[in-house]
Each structure stands twice: as structure tokens, then as C-alpha cells.
Amino acid sequence: MNQDWEDRVTAAWATFDDYAEEDAAAFRAVIDALVAELPEDSPLGPFEQACAWDSTGHSDKAAPLYREALARGLSGYKGRRAKIQLSSSLRNIGQAEEGVKLLTPELDAPSDELDDAVRATLALCLSSLGRDREGLSLVLGALAPHLPRYQRSMANYARALVEPDG
């Protein structure tokens, strides 16, 4: 879409915290109105609607919309966001294994500011499957570069958690 539409979506999301929990439907209506301006086959529509459902506590309604957005070709930064958010929603609705399958390839995707979110969400999915050591390894590995000290030690501990003798 155009920058004006993107700016209006960003502005709508900036007001999200102004809505009380009981006003969730009103917020979703704002997003729906913006989506109605898009071409019918745009992947942005189901993505924004999925985000709105997800952010208002309805992972079950968000997951099919994230899938639709990805199936319509949502890619790049928003495509990666959709994969992260879909994986989180899948975990919330008891389908963590599918979340792991969706996010694991993202570990090898080109690096961007979403890398830590990929690892954190994947760690949650792994934990839901009883694979806590793998999840903790991912989280420690993501955290290590941000520490003022002990980066090497934490990175080594992260690897040791998943090595055969770790």
C-alpha cells in the first residue's frame, strides 16, 4: 500500500493502549476500516487483522489470518513478524510443534532486529513441548551479546545446554 495508509495503521496501533479491555472490538473495527481500503488480495489485510485479534487476546482467530497473509505472499520484515506472531499464537492454542517448525528456519534467515524475538518465541514453543534446555539455550544465546560482561561465558553455557554432554 502507500505510505499514507502505513502511517495511519501505525497511528492506529499507537492508540492501542488507550482502549480498555472491553473496547477491544472497537479497536479491531478501526483496523478493519483501514483493511477495507486495501485491494481484496492484499496480504496486509489479514496480517493487520491477525495482529488486532492477537493483541486483544484471541490467538485462535489470529492464527488463520496470519496463515492467510503468508499464503498471499507477505514477505520481508512483516512476513517475519507474521511468522513470529503466528508461532506465538500456535503455542497459545496448543500447537507449539507447528510453531517450532515455522520458526526454526528463521534462525538461519538474514539477521535483523527481529532475531531475538524469533529466539524468544521459539524458546517458548520449545518449553511448551517440554524442551526447556533447548529453549533456555536459545534465550541465553540471544541475551549474551547484550550483556556488558560475560558474553563469551553465556554463549558457551548456551551451547553446552544442547550439546550431547551438556
Side-chain angles (χ1 to χ4, degrees), residues 25-162:
F27 176 76
R28 290 191 304 268
V30 169
I31 297 300
D32 287 345
L34 288 162
V35 167
E37 299 176 23
L38 294 170
E40 195 170 309
D41 61 346
S42 172
L44 294 174
F47 173 70
E48 291 298 338
Q49 289 172 316
C51 293
W53 279 109
D54 215 357
S55 296
T56 57
H58 296 277
S59 296
D60 58 325
K61 295 185 189 260
L65 291 165
Y66 287 130
R67 284 188 181 110
E68 183 179 344
L70 290 166
R72 287 184 185 183
L74 189 68
S75 61
Y77 186 81
K78 286 190 179 183
R80 196 165 197 217
R81 280 184 52 204
K83 290 175 187 176
I84 293 165
Q85 292 165 207
L86 173 55
S87 295
S88 178
S89 291
L90 290 168
R91 177 186 161 272
N92 289 339
I93 60 174
Q95 298 174 21
E97 185 65 45
E98 188 178 344
V100 169
K101 288 177 185 171
L102 184 64
L103 275 188
T104 299
E106 290 299 309
L107 294 173
D108 297 321
S111 183
D112 64 17
E113 67 186 49
L114 297 174
D115 289 352
D116 292 344
V118 166
R119 284 167 177 75
T121 304
L122 181 53
L124 287 168
C125 289
L126 289 166
S127 181
S128 290
L129 296 170
R131 295 165 60 185
D132 295 320
R133 289 178 68 90
E134 290 173 75
L136 180 57
S137 174
L138 284 170
V139 171
L140 284 176
L143 175 64
H146 304 283
L147 297 173
R149 297 185 54 88
Y150 316 112
Q151 297 94 344
R152 186 176 320 145
S153 296
M154 287 302 145
N156 287 335
Y157 292 143
R159 279 190 297 279
L161 282 166
V162 292

